[in-house]
Amino acid sequence: MDGRVLGPISADVPGHKGVSGATKAAGLFGLLVTSPDCRCTKQEISLTLWPDRELSNELVYRAVSDLRKGVGTDAVTHNASGVYTISLPRDGVDLFRFRADVAEAEHLSPPERFERLGRALDEWRDGESLLGLTGGLFELRRSELRAEHLAAVCAHMDAALRVGEEKWLLNETGKWHRRLPKHPEIFRFFLQAREREWAGKAGAKKLERAVRQWERANGRPGRKLQEAIEELRGFRHSAFGRSPVPDQLPPPGRQPFGREALIGELADIVLQRQEVGRGTLVVLSGMAGIGKSTVAVHLADRLRQRFPDGALYADLRGFAGDDAQPVDPEHVLDRFLTAIPPYTSATGVEAKSAALRSALASRSVLILLDDARSAQQVLPLLPGRGTSTVIVTSRMGDLRTHGDVHRSLELLEDEAALAVLQEDITPADRARRARAFAELARLCGNLPLALAVVARRLKHRPIGAIDDLVRELAKERDMLDALHLPAHELSVRMALGCSVRALSEPARRLLWQLAVHPGPTIGWGAVLNLGNAGREMRADRAVEELGAASLAELSSERYRLHDLVRAYARDYIEPQVDGELRDFEKATARQILEHQLHNARACDRLIDRQRTLPVGDPDGVRVVEPEDVADAMVVLDEEYDTLLRGIQLAARYAMERYTWLLPMALVTYQWRRRHLADALRGLTESVRAAELLASPVDRAMVYRMLAGTHWRLERFEIATAHLRRAVHLSEQDSSGDGLLSLARSLHALAITLRKKGEREEAEVHHRRSLRLYQKISEPVGEAAALNGIGTLHYDRAEYDEALRVCAQALRIVERTADRNGRADVLSTLAKIHQARLERSEALTLCRLACDIYRELDYWPNEDKALWFYADILMAVGRPAEAVEALERVLVLRERMGGTGVSEARNRLEGLR
């Protein structure tokens, strides 16, 4: 293919329509290609392509669909979070080729670099990117790409200087200086290109005239430009007679796989600030083993030549372990002041710190401070004014407020993690053992230190032994032993131990409790509730301490532990508790599950207002009540993975109350999100526990929920068996609760029998349930039973009777708050009117049902209603609206795991 964004947008893909111009598809192509990792959220897409409109899933999908037609269906993918990604050949897009050539040029000799950068810059045929696209984000992208372009131009000029391309330089620097007369780097190259031309007195006048014009227009030159001017004037610096320049940086060591872009970004920031006479404090934070020191040393190595007065280094041993104390900043000051004269007789930290600032005021020095414990350890070592730069690494987050630039290092991406493991592995072995390497990276949690340990161990094993290492790491109790190589100063266990030893006892105890928590994430309320298990504790203070120590990551309002931190906490922390640790562990598990149950039930009460669960009152946990159904669904979306693991935790500790009730609190949400396999697993455990603990009525409810799940999976025989069991259990209780349970069980059984084609028995059960609902004055159930009877009349083409019965159901349900029941009756009425060819009424009723299902976030029912709605629209000759309805169907089906997506796409393609 041939894709272009460095000019007018275009993509020419064999076998496809391609894209070009300023269409929405072309705009989406340009947006995705220029986005980090070629990924965008649907919100970013909507805001960029339709800046004056609210988020529209349908418009986004239409643009995506058009782009897929242009470049291929498989090229544009998306995930459940609404993030779209474009995957294109790296040599198929001009921007990708440009960046690849620029990156490769950095490692080439000057002649090769000059040639490679020239090839890269040839991609910029029009001198501007994203031509024809308007809007704020495109302007921002254009600005960023201009900066990349200009950086490559300057690197090209620098390479030309080194290889003596005088004629080329004279032409190119003149052209660029006319275009950007205020740019200091371009002006510097403009002057240097004319060094030979401006030799002698006449040339000197030209130089001074050019410099004066620059200063009048732009002010005083920065340091780098000033040095170039002085060299041209003949005032070249000499090292003769100067004091020795310190150069204390350690060797770079391990390759910074996956961090190259970060190092480049930070280097650019430092150099830009240096150009305007300012220093920089760079703070790198993150958990133990994340690779802070590796990044810092490589960054310092890249910057070293830009600091003519030397480089200073100190390992502050903030988390050295072995009960070693962090280095006293006064000792570091003594070393630094010895390396940078004038020597001082100052005493005390404050006086020595002031002396260091004085010594650095007229110098440009690079300082690397590794493994800082706190701001108090670092602040005395910082320069004052001037162009000196300091790089600090720390596991603690309290330094970020002091830094000009702070970066919290993330775990490596999968590709970089594999690069660490496979650095010394042959391509053939990489391909042959690809699955095992991917599993090793996953088990290491993409943590650089863990990956480095595994890579070291692989050096001394045949490639066939990789499977043994995978099995060793897969066992949680063996994991940290497998990642322990103290002889090579590589140990995840030791690194984490140093962080944990620095914690207060409450923070250590909370970390241990968070390891008991099933994860993968935990919300604020759940953290606070952990403080009520066992000895009372300020969990809010403790979790703040864990976050500051980079042991618990806060992301999207939820805390997360790395798997290796979790393993360390479970095996190596011994919390101080009252009584036996096993009792405290069970109390912690109970507190976790009690929090989950009551908060899930608070959501479930809004989602299904007709169902009651015997959960009782909250016992020592805080409960957050959602505002409405939409809020409840969002809360459960966020908590869902954690709640599933909570069910497993309850089973592990044999806490039947929670294995019974927690799946029940989730099941209606799971039906609406079509998490049916999860619902089936949870309810299977729930049935087992309910048979031990629950009353017949409550057991009948579990069987109804289990049957409802099988029903949605179209396993009607199994559903029927569970519902007959529910009827039998309900008949054992003659109270009002028993009668309600029996009515609901009979109603569900009737619906299932209808699906099996056994309509006569279905009608018997519907009418029996109707009598029961009427007897106990339950209007919601009465309306549902009438609606069921109406569907049977509809099946027999008895449309007048079906209409009469369902109209009665609608009158009853509209007097209740049951929105879902109202939508069900409206859907049935719409089908009846459609069968009677009364399409106007059918459209109105079906649209109302669709809107209610959407309001309730009931995806499967909205999907079915919209599909029928599209049928009616086509029947009345309104295909454009049918397309809009089917685009929403496509969105819903993609959200629900992809079932039926191809059917929806084919139908859409047939209508367009």
Side-chain angles (χ1 to χ4, degrees), residues 802-867:
L803 193 60
R804 184 190 67 78
V805 174
C806 289
Q808 183 183 354
L810 184 61
R811 287 193 296 272
I812 294 171
V813 81
E814 283 182 335
R815 296 197 296 266
T816 73
D818 183 19
R819 302 280 291 159
N820 186 62
R822 182 169 186 260
D824 289 345
V825 177
L826 289 169
S827 293
T828 305
L829 283 167
K831 291 176 183 176
I832 296 168
H833 281 291
Q834 171 71 351
R836 289 160 58 100
L837 301 180
E838 297 164 352
R839 295 192 174 112
S840 176
E841 292 86 347
L843 275 174
T844 301
L845 294 168
C846 194
R847 181 72 260 178
L848 287 171
C850 292
D851 291 344
I852 293 173
Y853 288 135
R854 186 165 190 172
E855 169 196 325
L856 297 175
D857 240 359
Y858 206 144
W859 293 348
N861 283 9
E862 186 189 354
D863 167 43
K864 287 186 288 187
L866 282 168
W867 191 264

Side-chain angles (χ1 to χ4, degrees), residues 23-135:
T23 63
K24 297 301 182 187
L28 179 56
F29 178 84
L31 179 64
L32 288 170
V33 166
T34 59
S35 294
D37 299 325
C38 296
R39 304 172 69 190
C40 272
T41 65
K42 63 182 177 184
Q43 290 86 353
E44 290 171 330
I45 294 170
S46 181
L47 183 62
T48 304
L49 299 184
W50 298 276
D52 299 322
R53 300 185 63 168
E54 293 183 359
L55 171 64
S56 168
N57 289 326
E58 287 76 15
L59 286 176
V60 171
Y61 173 72
R62 191 175 301 168
V64 171
S65 179
D66 290 340
L67 180 56
R68 283 171 170 157
K69 292 176 185 175
V71 300
T73 301
D74 295 335
V76 184
T77 59
H78 93 290
N79 61 25
S81 301
V83 177
Y84 286 84
T85 304
I86 191 166
S87 302
L88 299 170
R90 306 313 292 177
D91 62 348
V93 180
D94 54 4
L95 177 60
F96 299 166
R97 295 191 297 268
F98 164 75
R99 286 174 171 168
D101 281 337
V102 169
E104 188 173 349
E106 284 188 14
H107 310 290
L108 300 177
S109 64
E112 293 170 319
R113 189 183 315 145
F114 176 75
E115 181 181 351
R116 186 59 55 87
L117 287 169
R119 188 174 80 178
L121 290 165
D122 285 342
E123 300 290 349
W124 290 79
R125 299 175 185 176
D126 297 277
E128 185 60 280
S129 61
L130 304 172
L131 287 175
L133 300 180
T134 60

Side-chain angles (χ1 to χ4, degrees), residues 334-453:
D334 289 339
R335 287 202 298 105
F336 284 2
L337 289 169
T338 300
I340 300 179
Y343 307 113
T344 179
S345 59
T347 59
V349 172
E350 290 187 11
K352 291 177 181 178
S353 180
L356 179 66
R357 291 195 296 273
S358 297
L360 295 177
S362 58
R363 290 178 168 86
S364 185
V365 174
L366 179 63
I367 304 173
L368 174 53
L369 303 175
D370 197 18
D371 196 22
R373 180 66 169 267
S374 65
Q376 288 70 29
Q377 193 184 22
V378 170
L379 291 176
L381 308 176
L382 301 182
R385 296 181 178 178
T387 59
S388 292
T389 282
V390 183
I391 304 169
V392 181
T393 72
S394 178
R395 302 179 193 185
M396 305 301 291
D398 65 341
L399 275 162
R400 71 184 65 184
T401 57
H402 298 279
D404 298 307
V405 181
H406 170 256
R407 294 291 183 273
S408 179
L409 269 64
E410 306 288 340
L411 297 168
L412 294 179
E413 297 291 335
D414 291 344
E415 185 178 349
L418 287 173
V420 176
L421 292 176
Q422 298 174 341
E423 185 177 8
D424 297 320
I425 305 297
T426 66
D429 284 340
R430 293 179 189 180
R432 193 156 48 94
R433 296 288 182 168
R435 184 173 299 178
F437 277 113
E439 183 64 8
L440 280 178
R442 186 190 69 79
L443 291 168
C444 290
N446 287 14
L447 183 70
L449 177 57
L451 295 164
V453 175

Side-chain angles (χ1 to χ4, degrees), residues 597-834:
L597 176 59
H598 283 283
N599 280 275
R601 179 56 185 149
C603 297
D604 183 56
R605 274 194 295 269
L606 288 172
I607 297 170
D608 187 346
R609 297 177 183 273
Q610 308 309 313
R611 192 156 55 90
T612 59
L613 288 176
V615 299
D617 295 326
D619 184 8
V621 298
R622 60 169 60 191
V623 179
V624 178
E625 298 285 349
E627 294 181 2
D628 51 28
V629 172
D631 190 24
M633 295 296 286
V634 168
V635 170
L636 290 176
D637 285 340
E638 293 173 348
E639 292 278 355
Y640 184 62
D641 290 341
T642 301
L643 289 165
L644 289 183
R645 296 193 185 191
I647 296 170
Q648 297 171 2
L649 181 73
R652 190 182 317 136
Y653 286 93
M655 293 181 173
E656 274 81 10
R657 163 177 162 80
Y658 304 104
T659 53
W660 162 31
L661 292 171
L662 196 50
M664 292 292 289
L666 274 180
V667 64
T668 309
Y669 162 82
Q670 290 171 320
W671 288 352
R672 294 193 179 187
R673 287 291 187 258
R674 203 166 173 80
H675 296 316
L676 300 181
D678 293 338
L680 206 56
R681 281 190 292 270
L683 289 169
T684 302
E685 287 293 318
S686 182
V687 164
R688 182 189 60 77
E691 290 288 359
L692 297 174
L693 301 178
S695 69
V697 166
D698 289 331
R699 283 149 58 199
M701 178 166 45
V702 180
Y703 280 105
R704 282 199 304 276
M705 298 302 103
L706 187 56
T709 306
H710 281 291
W711 190 93
R712 285 161 174 79
L713 290 166
E714 299 185 0
R715 300 170 181 170
F716 301 119
E717 288 291 344
I718 300 174
T720 300
H722 288 312
L723 288 169
R724 294 195 189 281
R725 172 71 173 155
V727 169
H728 172 71
L729 288 166
S730 300
E731 289 174 334
Q732 298 176 25
D733 188 334
S734 59
S735 68
D737 288 342
L739 293 177
L740 178 60
S741 176
L742 179 57
R744 287 175 174 170
S745 300
L746 288 167
H747 175 66
L749 178 58
I751 292 172
T752 306
L753 289 170
R754 175 181 175 247
K755 279 288 187 181
K756 293 171 62 182
E758 300 173 18
R759 294 186 175 87
E760 290 184 7
E761 186 182 355
E763 186 164 2
V764 170
H765 293 313
H766 266 317
R767 293 193 180 280
R768 187 182 173 196
S769 71
L770 176 61
R771 290 192 295 273
L772 287 168
Y773 282 131
Q774 290 170 336
K775 180 178 179 179
I776 60 177
S777 299
E778 174 53 49
V780 170
E782 183 181 355
L786 286 168
N787 189 53
I789 293 169
T791 60
L792 293 171
H793 285 299
Y794 168 80
D795 291 343
R796 296 193 291 262
E798 299 166 357
Y799 301 134
D800 290 344
E801 186 62 16
L803 193 60
R804 184 190 67 78
V805 174
C806 289
Q808 183 183 354
L810 184 61
R811 287 193 296 272
I812 294 171
V813 81
E814 283 182 335
R815 296 197 296 266
T816 73
D818 183 19
R819 302 280 291 159
N820 186 62
R822 182 169 186 260
D824 289 345
V825 177
L826 289 169
S827 293
T828 305
L829 283 167
K831 291 176 183 176
I832 296 168
H833 281 291
Q834 171 71 351

